[in-house]
């Protein structure tokens, strides 16, 4: 009987040591490695780019789109050459009719660090884009973080429990 107990304990220890070894193989990624996985174009439907949606975004909807809040932030990889020549920011989104009916025209503002980009007002519901040139001086790092804000959005409780801004589709910086 004692022999069976020893064998059982030995087997259990072997199983535990095997699982410990596999947990030691877990790879920890560094900030540099994660930055290498960043992209200069984010497709909202691609879960691989969700890490670049810094704040102000709701969960991915089953159909592959995502609501923003009234303020939202993204980080994009600066494409090759943009630090010397500048770049072009493009945001693709939809301003839903239900939001437009309640709010009317809305203005989208953006800023990179302390550089405010020219705002744009959207006076109709539907698909739209926000495009602005970015100077090379704003693109000197490997990545750039861009803050957005809407002057009007559906506050939590107006349409549902969440604060709703726009339906984001894509964010991109391209070299000039």
């Amino acid at each position: 009987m004692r022999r069976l107990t020893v064998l059982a304990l030995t087997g259990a220890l072997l199983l535990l040591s095997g699982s410990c070894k596999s947990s030691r193989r877990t790879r920890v990624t560094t900030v540099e490695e994660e930055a290498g996985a960043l992209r200069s174009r984010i497709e909202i439907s691609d879960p691989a780019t969700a890490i670049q949606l810094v704040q102000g975004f709701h969960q991915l909807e089953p159909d592959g789109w995502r609501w923003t809040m009234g303020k939202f932030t993204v980080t994009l990889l600066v494409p090759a050459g943009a630090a010397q020549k500048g770049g072009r920011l493009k945001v693709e989104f939809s301003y839903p009719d239900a939001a437009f009916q309640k709010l009317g025209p809305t203005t989208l503002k953006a800023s990179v660090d302390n550089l405010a980009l020219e705002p744009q007002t959207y006076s109709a519901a539907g698909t739209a884009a926000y495009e602005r040139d970015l100077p090379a001086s704003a693109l000197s790092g490997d990545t750039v973080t861009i803050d957005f804000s809407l002057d009007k959005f559906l506050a939590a409780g107006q349409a549902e429990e969440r604060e709703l801004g726009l339906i984001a589709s894509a964010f991109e910086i391209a070299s000039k």
Side-chain angles (χ1 to χ4, degrees):
M1 182 72 160
R2 181 179 166 145
R3 222 175 219 215
L4 286 176
T5 304
V6 170
L7 285 174
L9 286 173
T10 304
L13 286 173
L14 286 172
L15 284 173
L16 286 173
S17 68
S19 65
C20 288
K21 284 180 186 173
S22 66
S23 68
R24 278 187 255 151
R25 288 186 206 140
T26 302
R27 188 167 188 278
V28 178
T29 59
T30 64
V31 173
E32 292 80 15
E33 288 171 323
E34 286 183 9
L38 299 181
R39 300 178 188 168
S40 58
R41 180 172 173 84
I42 299 173
E43 295 284 342
I44 293 297
S45 61
D46 183 358
T49 61
I51 191 170
Q52 293 179 247
L53 306 175
V54 178
Q55 65 183 12
F57 291 88
H58 292 291
Q59 294 296 317
L60 188 64
E61 299 289 340
D63 291 339
W65 50 272
R66 194 183 293 261
W67 278 101
T68 71
M69 296 179 190
K71 293 182 179 183
F72 50 102
T73 303
V74 300
T75 295
L76 296 170
L77 182 69
V78 174
Q84 293 79 34
K85 299 177 183 178
R88 181 89 175 151
L89 169 67
K90 183 176 184 180
V91 180
E92 299 169 19
F93 63 91
S94 178
Y95 186 30
D97 189 57
F100 180 74
Q101 293 300 322
K102 290 184 179 184
L103 302 171
T106 190
T107 300
L108 178 61
K109 297 177 185 177
S111 65
V112 177
D113 292 325
N114 293 322
L115 174 66
L117 304 177
E118 184 181 344
Q120 184 167 337
T121 300
Y122 299 89
S123 300
T127 58
Y130 175 85
E131 295 187 59
R132 294 293 179 266
D133 286 331
L134 297 173
S137 60
L139 303 172
S140 59
D142 292 336
T143 62
V144 63
T145 299
I146 307 162
D147 296 305
F148 297 92
S149 64
L150 296 164
D151 69 333
K152 297 178 193 169
F153 53 89
L154 296 171
Q158 279 187 302
E160 59 175 80
E161 294 178 12
R162 304 179 295 174
E163 178 179 295
L164 303 176
L166 304 170
I167 296 177
S169 301
F171 294 85
E172 178 179 25
I173 293 180
S175 285
K176 285 187 176 179

